[in-house]
Amino acid sequence: MSTPSASGNGQILRVGLLNEVHHVDPRTAQDFDSLFVSRQIFEPLYRVDPHRGNIGSAVPLLLRAPLRTVAGGAGGTMRGRIRDDARFSDGSPLDLETVVQSLGSEPMVRRQAEVTAEGDELVFHLKSPNARFDLLLTSVQGAIVRRAGGSPVGTGPYQLARDSEPGHIRLVRNPHSPQPGLVDEIHFITYSPGLDGRPESLLIALESGEVDFTNVLPRDEISGLTGVRKSFQTGVSTAVLYLNTQSPPLRSAKARQAIAHAVQRRDLTSSCYSNSLAFTAASLLPRSLGQVTDRLGYDPDRSRSLLSELGDEAPTKLRLLMTWGPRPYLPHPQKVMNLLAEQLEAVGIEITPRFTHSSREFFDAGIEGDYDLALAGWIADTPDPADFLESNLASYRIPRPDNIAVSVNLSRLEDPEMDESIARLRRDGTDQRLREAMRRVDDLAPLVPLMYGPTSAVLAFRVQGFTPSPLGVLPLAPLYLR
């Protein structure tokens, strides 16, 4: 069967989400659902090709060719030219000034490089060596954004329709894109989980044919669906129990190590997956980003010994900030929280949960920092392990209003040695540097990795053109309906 042309064909792809989308600007979008929508509107300089390299390599998207490295500066200089045929959805051409302004205002890029224009070339003056700077430029947060009348516009294959609402986002083709989408419109429809946290409404919508595609459902929930196609891959996400290092009961690394040793990860994973061995976390890093095993495994006797050594300073009551609903890496947060409470109670620590009901409420609480523990996690933006560690552990990634889209350092860790370990990993990317960084994580114990999340998708049989990606970095433009 032939692929339809990109001219008007009346096709509408209906995509199911679990959360309302309040921000499509990648600078302010906060959760997986919102960033998934953003990727269809805004484009970074590079994209990840999941079929090249281990879990993907960077290939030019808005560049004519890969950036070339030249001598000069503290970390070297990279230069390149942007494409001539790229257009924003308002018809304006992709110009060098907008690229420089957009990237220069993005926290991740700005921290690593000074972005300038020299003649017709885009120039990055790296502040320190970075072996995989191209992968950083695949992140949706580094997408090129142009402001038009106060609204963000992008160069992607789709644009936001004016009648969009948080619970029903409507995207229409960008008529100026050199590679427009194959369906006329994409509708992102929110099916909120029930009071028990189960995504029953979305499951029903998929089986009834009301929804054509979703990639936000837990693997075990998908398994029972009928009349649909299913795609499962090893993912690059980790569910994490973050320990607030700035909270008085947890300022001691010994207290945090005691909590880590009290957590039986296998039991927690069993509450979410039938094959717990495949998903139990060995360290913060998903396996495809680094084969590392931490030294903070389950050892309740060690936990009690450490707490005894702390004496009156040992934590006895802790407040747990709960994620707002099921996540790709945490399919049943309520079950996990209940088991965590039992495990910590066994060593003398009582947990009081604070429930949140939306991503906005959860991230606002993360910015405030008024919690002891936080149950959440992270999905990799790029295949670079340094990016994953930096998002979770770097001092400048403590959540703030101006960086919430790229930050999940809910441990509120500020450690110069940890920052330098990540910087060394960026410079040469060797296994030795990775092990050094992970040893520092063990020493500080700012978090407890719990389980890895798979990348799952459900498609109606009429959806064609789907290519799965381990990163969950999925462009919808190639999809069409038969």
Side-chain angles (χ1 to χ4, degrees), residues 12-29:
I12 298 174
L13 179 71
R14 300 160 301 173
V15 179
L17 302 179
L18 292 175
N19 299 281
E20 290 188 343
V21 176
H22 293 274
H23 301 281
V24 298
D25 186 338
R27 302 291 190 271
T28 54

Side-chain angles (χ1 to χ4, degrees), residues 79-309:
R79 310 173 73 97
R81 291 183 173 85
I82 59 175
R83 289 174 52 169
D84 296 324
D85 59 348
R87 294 288 185 276
F88 289 101
S89 56
D90 63 358
S92 59
L94 176 68
D95 61 285
L96 198 53
E97 180 182 353
T98 299
V99 173
V100 170
Q101 183 179 26
S102 181
L103 291 175
S105 64
E106 205 290 309
M108 291 192 303
V109 177
R110 186 175 64 239
R111 184 174 181 84
Q112 296 196 37
E114 179 187 0
V115 189
T116 63
E118 296 180 11
D120 64 348
E121 287 196 320
L122 178 64
V123 182
F124 296 92
H125 300 284
L126 273 61
K127 298 179 180 179
S128 61
N130 184 344
R132 296 311 313 269
F133 186 69
D134 56 346
L135 286 177
L136 176 69
L137 299 178
T138 67
S139 171
V140 66
Q141 289 89 2
I144 307 305
V145 179
R146 179 178 176 274
R147 302 286 167 181
S151 299
V153 295
T155 60
Y158 290 94
Q159 60 181 319
L160 184 69
R162 293 179 181 272
D163 60 354
S164 292
E165 299 177 351
H168 191 151
I169 297 291
R170 188 167 72 92
L171 302 187
V172 297
R173 279 202 189 105
N174 170 5
H176 307 284
S177 171
Q179 296 178 313
L182 294 181
V183 300
D184 278 346
E185 298 186 12
I186 303 176
H187 292 194
F188 293 89
I189 308 164
T190 299
Y191 295 84
S192 299
L195 294 177
D196 60 356
R198 290 200 65 235
E200 189 68 27
S201 295
L202 181 51
L203 292 169
I204 293 172
L206 285 161
E207 284 205 316
S208 68
E210 184 179 319
V211 168
D212 300 307
F213 177 87
T214 190
N215 63 343
V216 298
L217 285 175
R219 178 189 177 101
D220 281 19
E221 295 284 10
I222 292 172
S223 299
L225 287 174
T226 60
V228 294
R229 291 156 53 207
K230 308 165 191 177
S231 171
F232 300 112
Q233 284 198 314
T234 301
V236 281
S237 64
T238 308
V240 177
L241 178 66
Y242 295 93
L243 315 182
N244 187 348
T245 61
Q246 297 182 8
S247 174
L250 298 179
R251 286 177 181 162
S252 164
K254 187 176 291 187
R256 301 193 298 269
Q257 289 168 352
I259 291 174
H261 286 305
V263 175
Q264 171 53 286
R265 305 177 200 182
R266 178 80 64 82
D267 288 351
L268 299 178
T269 308
S270 295
S271 71
C272 296
Y273 300 103
S274 55
N275 180 11
S276 61
L277 184 61
F279 299 102
T280 301
S283 75
L284 173 63
L285 280 179
R287 291 190 180 96
S288 56
L289 298 187
Q291 297 289 331
V292 183
T293 299
D294 64 34
R295 295 182 282 111
L296 297 172
Y298 181 57
D299 187 345
D301 291 337
R302 177 62 176 157
S303 175
R304 293 186 184 94
S305 176
L306 290 168
L307 292 171
S308 177
E309 291 174 21

Side-chain angles (χ1 to χ4, degrees), residues 364-382:
D364 284 347
I367 292 170
E368 293 168 4
D370 187 23
Y371 56 87
D372 303 308
L373 310 171
L375 183 59
W378 188 245
I379 304 172
D381 290 313
T382 79

Side-chain angles (χ1 to χ4, degrees), residues 35 52 72 158 175 318 327 413 438 459 465:
L35 290 170
R52 296 176 58 179
Y158 290 94
L318 297 174
R327 311 302 302 134
L413 179 68
M438 298 307 290
L459 306 87

Side-chain angles (χ1 to χ4, degrees), residues 2-74:
S2 61
T3 302
S5 69
S7 58
N9 52 33
Q11 290 190 341
I12 298 174
L13 179 71
R14 300 160 301 173
V15 179
L17 302 179
L18 292 175
N19 299 281
E20 290 188 343
V21 176
H22 293 274
H23 301 281
V24 298
D25 186 338
R27 302 291 190 271
T28 54
Q30 297 175 335
D31 56 70
F32 178 81
D33 303 61
S34 300
L35 290 170
F36 181 39
V37 176
S38 295
R39 285 188 178 278
Q40 319 310 321
I41 304 172
F42 304 95
E43 295 177 317
L45 295 185
Y46 284 88
R47 65 178 176 86
V48 173
D49 184 345
H51 304 291
R52 296 176 58 179
N54 182 17
I55 62 165
S57 298
V59 295
L61 180 60
L62 292 179
L63 294 166
R64 298 185 197 176
L67 294 171
R68 66 187 189 279
T69 302
V70 297

